[in-house]
Amino acid sequence: MPGSGALRLPSRTLVVAAAAVPLALAVLADDVRVRRQLHTARRDPLTGLPGRDILVERTARFAHTRRERLHVLVADVDGLKAVNDSLGHAAGDALIAAIGRRLSAWAADRGGLAARLGGDEFGVALLLPPADAVREVLALRELLAQPVHHDGQPLRDIEGRILRPAVSIGIARASDLPDAADASRILRGADTAMYQVKTGQQPLGYVATRQDAYAPAVHGRRPGRPGTHLPAA
């Protein structure tokens, strides 16, 4: 007949295993909580959009799998400073938040991703048929130009007219750039294209060239950005 110690061994094993279950669940819950916190931390608090790093990751993934359809857009809100100065920063925040929501919904409907790059600039990575890209961007600009509501009323300029946001948009088509152009280089092409549209050098719908994607940087930023005239620190 087996000894009493042998009879107690399975019970001890069950007790130890039962005690380990809550600990394992606690560790799992803590891991989920940390992941959620990191996910939240990587999003812009005003718009809820991810930042540049997430956009670059998505662009790199698309460039690897569907390069022939990959388009990257950079959008810059025109006249934000005037809104802040005349209507207040709360109105400016409402404008940025509205543009972010519209861009995010537009991109998601096309299987893409929108991100806030900082200040009044946004980026989008999505897959489009090359023949449709310019038409889509022209329609997007009209969508973004719809009135924005703040405190239950549409934003108005200092003369009382309903404000219709203007947004400059640059396009980079990955298939137009060398295969060696990585996600950051494609994004730079869209950024340079946006700046040329914003300054009137090119019309809306302008698509970045190889020269735009490989434009020299000043202190790591596109020439023409505020601060690029200053000496490097």
Side-chain angles (χ1 to χ4, degrees), residues 72-86:
V72 174
L73 314 179
V74 169
D76 182 277
V77 182
D78 300 329
L80 178 63
K81 185 179 185 302
V83 173
N84 285 334
D85 290 347
S86 62

Side-chain angles (χ1 to χ4, degrees), residues 7-22:
L7 290 174
R8 286 197 298 269
L9 184 57
S11 297
R12 284 181 188 168
T13 303
L14 289 174
V15 169
V16 171
V21 170

Side-chain angles (χ1 to χ4, degrees), residues 111-222:
L113 174 82
R116 188 180 183 191
L117 304 180
D120 55 1
E121 284 194 352
F122 298 86
V124 178
L126 74 166
L127 302 174
L128 290 174
D132 295 346
V134 172
R135 176 178 56 80
E136 289 272 14
V137 169
L138 293 174
L140 171 62
R141 191 171 188 271
E142 288 302 311
L143 170 67
L144 299 179
Q146 297 307 306
V148 172
H149 285 74
H150 175 55
D151 287 339
Q153 299 292 330
L155 287 177
R156 297 177 181 271
D157 62 22
I158 57 175
E159 297 180 358
R161 296 171 299 194
I162 292 179
L163 186 67
R164 295 180 63 86
V167 180
S168 298
I169 304 172
I171 311 168
R173 183 183 293 132
S175 61
D176 288 349
L177 305 178
D179 289 343
D182 61 10
S184 295
R185 188 66 66 180
I186 299 169
L187 183 60
R188 182 183 293 184
D191 183 57
T192 304
M194 180 279 295
Y195 184 70
Q196 294 196 51
V197 171
K198 189 177 184 70
T199 56
Q201 299 174 62
Q202 296 290 347
L204 179 66
Y206 175 68
V207 179
T209 64
R210 183 186 187 282
Q211 182 177 356
D212 294 324
Y214 286 85
V218 179
H219 311 333
R221 298 188 290 176
R222 164 179 47 77

Side-chain angles (χ1 to χ4, degrees), residues 17-47:
V21 170
L23 179 60
L25 291 176
V27 171
L28 178 61
D30 189 59
D31 181 64
V32 171
R33 184 163 53 251
V34 169
R35 288 175 181 272
R36 285 176 178 171
Q37 289 172 346
L38 289 173
H39 179 74
T40 301
R42 298 179 77 185
R43 290 185 173 268
D44 171 56
L46 177 60
T47 63

